[in-house]
Amino acid sequence: MIIDIPENSDFSIHNIPFGIFSTKERSPRIGVAIGDHILDMAAVAELDVFDFNTALLEKDTLNDFISLGKEITTRVRKKIQYWLKDDDSVLAGKPELFVKQSEAQMHMPVTIGDYTDFYSSLEHATNVGKMFRDPENALLPNWKHIPVGYHGRASSIIVSGQPIYRPKGQTMPNGADTPVFGPTKRLDFELEMGFICGKDTNLGESVSTKDAEDYIFGLVLFNDWSARDIQKWEYVPLGPFLAKNFASSISPWVVTLEALEPFKIESPTQEPEVLPYLQFEGAKNYDIHLEVGITPEQGQETIVSHSNFKYMYWNMCQQLAHHTVNGCNINIGDMMASGTISGKEEDSFGSMLELSWGGTKPIKLKNGNERKFIEDGDKVTLRGYTKNGDIRVGFGEVTTKVLPAK
Ligand code: CA
């Protein structure tokens, strides 16, 4: 191996995720995470080892690289894997090709044109339905027929490390008959994963569930910040608006679909049967362990949720097929998030709304404090990894600090 990879690293030789990094000396450019290091792809390009226009490896976004197509990007990934394993490869004896992750700053990996958020966890939709609507009929009649989603806001998607300000807005306090304005009292995270589209379609075209994987470049962790009190007052009849669009945070390394291939598992049975355009063959879910931690100011982290991407009722191929079935076009860099990923157990819920059951059951933190929702100064961290024997592929983390309202 050209470089030491710590045991249990998310960025093992099996991963090879892509991102955008910079250092004091190096402008933002494409890198590959390996162990605790980053392989500088712009520097590798200077070795004259690639047969495409390598100027795009110096760009501050992955979009042009992704647009080379999977045939090329997969070959690049495999070459890097091969070179890293071979002590006599073109990468040998060139420490200047590597940067320590601790000395690099990560940037948004892609330029996101459009962002869509789904609502594809049965457990989450049921929990929210119980709290916001009717405990007896939590799921709306369309939920098991349509991968429900809405168009979000791409401009406010930020990368791990960038803080957010507590959003302000309009709410209707319990028992009141006129709304009030002020900072949200119910700031929440949503544990999600997002996929990045890797191929364009034209207006009028649709992507089938069979072809959908060709259109997915890779995945990131996705924290879809939410203001529950604003959401409750505004969401009828058109769905989420200002309760959701003030920020969503993503992890900086894009893990390719190819790296996740060995971790596919059977999808849950869908009953009633879905319409033909949503049917699919083979395993389409992924066994990815997920966790959420809250770190209060001057305190240590408490893990408040353990969940898994495998719980998704609707898979990514169905989401993409549904999104495009009406001829809506997609572009490289578009982000599609899963919706909050909750499991069945109370400690596997993917939001404070569910974990504290609408604020009725506070969560105890290690420092003795309690949380019903997220407070100013708190840092929220999402992590994700998958493991199969000795093979580990992880996402690193997305961490975001909440600052007081501006
Ligand atoms: Ca969401």
Side-chain angles (χ1 to χ4, degrees), residues 156 158-159 161-169 182-188 224-227 229-230 242-249 374-379 399-406:
S156 53
I158 55 173
V159 75
Q162 191 177 334
I164 64 164
Y165 295 96
R166 177 173 296 272
K168 292 175 283 193
T184 177
K185 294 189 171 81
R186 297 193 150 204
L187 181 63
D188 202 355
D224 186 26
W225 289 98
S226 302
D229 42 2
I230 298 172
L242 304 185
K244 300 277 189 174
N245 71 1
F246 58 94
S248 300
S249 314
I374 301 302
E375 296 186 5
D376 291 347
D378 286 353
K379 241 171 25 183
T399 185
T400 313
K401 186 172 181 173
V402 175
L403 303 177
K406 237 181 175 176

Side-chain angles (χ1 to χ4, degrees), residues 115 117-119 124 150 190 192 222 224-226 228 244 337-340:
Y115 153 49
D117 194 24
F118 286 93
Y119 191 53
H124 174 68
Y150 69 97
E190 287 193 322
E192 305 194 17
F222 195 98
D224 186 26
W225 289 98
S226 302
R228 301 300 180 190
K244 300 277 189 174
S338 58
T340 307

Side-chain angles (χ1 to χ4, degrees), residues 199-220:
K199 209 169 162 181
D200 295 337
T201 63
N202 294 313
L203 211 53
E205 291 175 359
S206 304
V207 177
S208 66
T209 55
K210 187 165 171 281
D211 294 340
E213 285 170 357
D214 287 345
Y215 290 80
I216 300 172
F217 177 74
L219 278 76
V220 291

Side-chain angles (χ1 to χ4, degrees), residues 5-297:
I5 303 170
E7 214 178 315
N8 267 331
S9 173
D10 277 355
F11 308 117
S12 69
I13 192 71
H14 308 284
N15 194 343
I16 316 292
F18 296 95
I20 302 293
F21 79 98
S22 66
T23 65
K24 271 191 215 119
E25 298 81 25
R26 303 179 201 221
S27 58
R29 61 190 59 201
I30 297 181
V32 160
I34 183 76
D36 295 336
H37 288 80
I38 298 170
L39 177 61
D40 180 340
M41 291 299 289
V44 175
E46 285 172 24
L47 305 176
D48 214 13
V49 286
F50 296 123
D51 54 4
F52 55 86
N53 174 15
T54 52
L56 55 82
L57 296 172
E58 294 165 30
K59 296 220 168 168
D60 61 1
T61 171
L62 289 173
N63 294 51
D64 288 353
F65 176 68
I66 296 172
S67 73
L68 291 172
K70 278 207 189 199
E71 205 178 307
I72 295 177
T73 57
T74 304
R75 203 162 66 219
V76 169
R77 209 181 134 258
K78 287 203 171 127
K79 273 189 176 174
I80 294 166
Q81 241 164 8
Y82 177 80
W83 289 332
L84 284 168
K85 281 195 263 190
D86 176 6
D87 286 334
D88 298 320
S89 76
V90 288
L91 306 184
K94 300 189 180 74
E96 69 278 9
L97 298 177
F98 295 92
V99 166
K100 280 195 183 128
Q101 282 182 30
S102 56
E103 287 168 13
Q105 187 186 345
M106 297 306 297
H107 302 267
M108 277 293 288
V110 284
T111 307
I112 302 169
D114 279 301
Y115 153 49
T116 299
D117 194 24
F118 286 93
Y119 191 53
S120 290
S121 151
L122 177 64
E123 288 76 11
H124 174 68
T126 305
N127 287 340
V128 174
K130 280 182 188 169
M131 277 183 271
F132 272 42
R133 282 183 303 273
D134 179 357
E136 302 302 316
N137 292 298
L139 277 191
L140 287 168
N142 61 3
W143 199 88
K144 285 191 168 176
H145 297 279
I146 293 174
V148 170
Y150 69 97
H151 289 300
R153 180 94 191 149
S155 69
S156 53
I157 300 181
I158 55 173
V159 75
S160 179
Q162 191 177 334
I164 64 164
Y165 295 96
R166 177 173 296 272
K168 292 175 283 193
Q170 207 183 109
T171 58
M172 179 65 95
N174 278 341
D177 51 14
T178 49
V180 297
F181 176 81
T184 177
K185 294 189 171 81
R186 297 193 150 204
L187 181 63
D188 202 355
F189 59 81
E190 287 193 322
L191 170 61
E192 305 194 17
M193 301 215 63
F195 71 82
I196 291 161
C197 293
K199 209 169 162 181
D200 295 337
T201 63
N202 294 313
L203 211 53
E205 291 175 359
S206 304
V207 177
S208 66
T209 55
K210 187 165 171 281
D211 294 340
E213 285 170 357
D214 287 345
Y215 290 80
I216 300 172
F217 177 74
L219 278 76
V220 291
L221 300 165
F222 195 98
N223 180 354
D224 186 26
W225 289 98
S226 302
R228 301 300 180 190
D229 42 2
I230 298 172
Q231 182 181 357
K232 192 167 185 182
W233 172 230
E234 76 171 4
Y235 87 103
V236 179
L238 284 187
F241 188 32
L242 304 185
K244 300 277 189 174
N245 71 1
F246 58 94
S248 300
S249 314
I250 65 169
S251 53
W253 294 106
V254 184
V255 176
T256 63
L257 210 56
E258 289 66 42
L260 296 171
E261 187 67 28
F263 310 100
K264 271 184 162 173
I265 54 166
E266 285 302 315
S267 305
T269 310
Q270 295 184 324
E271 188 62 48
E273 190 176 55
V274 297
L275 285 170
Y277 81 92
L278 290 168
Q279 291 170 11
F280 62 95
E281 280 175 21
K284 297 286 183 202
N285 280 43
Y286 295 83
D287 182 17
I288 300 172
H289 302 274
L290 300 167
E291 66 174 36
V292 184
I294 299 176
T295 312
E297 223 153 20

